């Protein structure tokens, strides 16, 4: 059980570091990058997905699609 916890925490740290790099690269607040990660968990057919899409697109403007791709790549 302890080994699994340690592995999970190590993975979370690596992913968190990647998100921080993306935020810095795109000069975007980290909280918006994290919101984009949560956006990926929504079903594309849900109203919540499209509300999040609209909100993020409005806040990020031209960066939206570039951040979307960078986060997708980081999640692989």
């Amino acid at each position: 059980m302890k080994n699994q916890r340690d592995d999970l925490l190590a993975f979370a740290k690596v992913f968190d570091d990647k998100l921080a790099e993306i935020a810095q690269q795109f000069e975007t607040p980290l909280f918006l990058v994290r919101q984009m990660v949560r956006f990926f968990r929504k079903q594309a057919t849900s109203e919540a997905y499209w509300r999040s899409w609209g909100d993020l697109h409005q806040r990020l403007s031209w960066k939206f699609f570039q951040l979307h791709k960078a986060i997708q790549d980081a999640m692989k």
Side-chain angles (χ1 to χ4, degrees):
M1 184 78 126
K2 183 179 182 333
N3 289 340
Q4 290 176 349
R5 180 189 65 118
D6 292 345
D7 290 345
L8 182 59
L9 290 175
F11 169 77
K13 172 75 171 118
V14 169
F15 186 58
D16 203 44
D17 290 346
K18 285 183 180 184
L19 294 180
E21 287 175 23
I22 290 169
Q24 185 176 15
Q25 176 187 355
F26 289 96
E27 298 177 350
T28 301
L30 184 56
F31 82 92
L32 286 176
V33 174
R34 291 183 191 283
Q35 281 185 347
M36 180 74 79
V37 171
R38 286 191 293 277
F39 167 74
F40 281 104
R41 297 188 343 217
K42 297 180 182 357
Q43 293 291 326
T45 56
S46 72
E47 185 178 330
Y49 174 91
W50 292 105
R51 264 192 315 237
S52 293
W53 190 95
D55 180 53
L56 285 167
H57 193 269
Q58 182 178 12
R59 289 172 171 229
L60 296 168
S61 185
W62 61 272
K63 295 179 186 179
F64 178 88
F65 293 105
Q66 292 173 330
L67 272 170
H68 190 278
K69 171 101 174 77
I71 293 168
Q72 268 185 327
D73 292 346
M75 292 173 67
K76 289 181 182 177

